[in-house]
Amino acid sequence: MMKTADESTRLTPVTVLGLGPMGRALAAALLAARHPVTVWNRTPGKEGDLVDQGAVAARSVEDAVKAGEVIVVCLIDYDAVRATLEPAQASWDNRWLVNLTSGEPAQARRMSRWAASHGIAYLDGAVLTPTPTIGTPSAAVILSGSRHVYEAVQETMNAVRGTVTHLGDDPGRACAYEVALLDIFATSVNGIAHAFALAAAEGIEPRRFAALATGIGGLLPEMITRFAGQIEAGHYPGDRSTIASAASGITHVINAASGHGIDVGMLAAAKGVIDRAVADGYEREGLARLTTVLHRAG
């Protein structure tokens, strides 16, 4: 949608639906960028100091939608988004819906089809950084869906002040990135907690263990980049580490943890993948080869 000369100097009215920590952070960033902001939450009283900062608290979803041109939704899940928007009878003409609710790629695609059936210009997305980064150069938001909608909301979404990236027309692409990145986070946090439990069982003080454990984290960025190149090439050299050595190492960890009565379910699952790779004859290949074993197992 092209803006006239008068419109180019006008800051877009924005509505934020959902005032959890991320919703409040987004609303605060939009206010700091001087946008007129209307907020709404299913449970009243979540506005905090946003009203003092200049936000208007809407009494209903319908009033909230009517007040904004860009409608930013940040709720607990996609079911909540549908339940919130279904009753709203406001016209969506010249309005743009940006859904930053966490979910799954298939849910994002279904939501996009639902929006299209209601005449709603829709963009799906995800916030990849924690709430304190919103409104700072460290913020990162990814968006996917119609390029036309992205171009309409791009200037407004730049209020997060960090990086706002459009990933293409597939409305599920942002969610796909998010769940894959959450996969790293979830399994890493579980691994860190498990390692601290094992270290504690062996009488190692947490801070002394942490001093060496941070070095393991430092290995990951290079490993991630190296894996990407090997996966793209379909070539998994075992010059640094092999699946056979991983099988030996994880067995030691399982035995040590089991001896202390520590749950090894996550490790047993990982060992199962490694064992399948060995059975398939990949024991001399590098660890990136495990991605193909996982894919086939699914």
Side-chain angles (χ1 to χ4, degrees), residues 48-214:
D49 62 352
L50 291 173
V51 173
D52 293 337
Q53 295 178 49
V56 174
R59 295 183 178 181
S60 68
V61 175
E62 189 168 6
D63 288 345
V65 171
K66 287 178 179 177
E69 292 178 15
V70 175
I71 316 300
V72 178
V73 186
C74 191
L75 296 173
I76 188 66
D77 55 33
Y78 279 73
D79 288 342
V81 175
R82 286 278 295 271
T84 296
L85 294 179
E86 284 278 11
Q89 299 300 313
S91 169
W92 284 87
D93 291 344
N94 297 316
R95 290 182 172 83
W96 318 91
L97 177 60
V98 181
N99 183 14
L100 298 181
T101 300
S102 291
E104 302 154 25
Q107 292 176 316
R109 294 178 185 117
R110 285 196 297 270
M111 189 71 201
S112 179
R113 291 192 293 271
W114 175 87
S117 72
H118 287 72
I120 300 173
Y122 180 79
L123 204 64
D124 208 274
V127 182
L128 300 183
T129 50
T131 54
T133 67
I134 305 304
T136 79
S138 298
V141 175
I142 52 177
L143 300 168
S144 59
S146 167
R147 180 82 191 182
H148 170 65
V149 180
Y150 170 69
E151 290 174 351
V153 305
Q154 181 180 9
E155 185 176 346
T156 301
M157 295 306 299
N158 283 339
V160 302
R161 289 193 56 207
T163 302
V164 179
T165 305
H166 183 241
L167 300 173
D169 290 338
D170 175 6
R173 185 54 59 90
C175 271
Y177 270 82
E178 184 184 27
V179 293
L181 292 168
L182 285 173
D183 191 347
I184 295 175
F185 184 76
T187 52
S188 297
V189 168
N190 201 326
I192 291 167
H194 199 279
F196 270 106
L198 180 53
E202 288 290 343
I204 300 172
E205 297 174 359
R207 289 186 183 276
R208 300 196 69 169
F209 178 68
L212 293 178
T214 53

Side-chain angles (χ1 to χ4, degrees), residues 17 29 32 43 57 60 80 86 93 103 106 108 138 161 171 222 227 236 246 250 261 288 295:
L17 303 178
T43 304
S60 68
E86 284 278 11
D93 291 344
S138 298
R161 289 193 56 207
E222 184 278 333
F227 274 26
Y236 311 97
I250 200 168
H295 181 73

Side-chain angles (χ1 to χ4, degrees), residues 236-291:
Y236 311 97
D239 53 334
R240 298 196 183 195
S241 184
T242 65
I243 290 173
S245 66
S248 176
I250 200 168
T251 298
H252 297 322
V253 178
I254 289 173
N255 290 341
S258 297
H260 289 292
I262 297 172
D263 190 304
V264 295
M266 178 186 69
L267 291 167
K271 185 176 183 299
V273 176
I274 292 170
D275 289 345
R276 288 202 304 275
V278 171
D280 287 345
Y282 300 137
E283 65 272 13
R284 298 300 173 193
E285 297 195 27
L287 300 180
R289 164 59 80 176
L290 295 174
T291 58

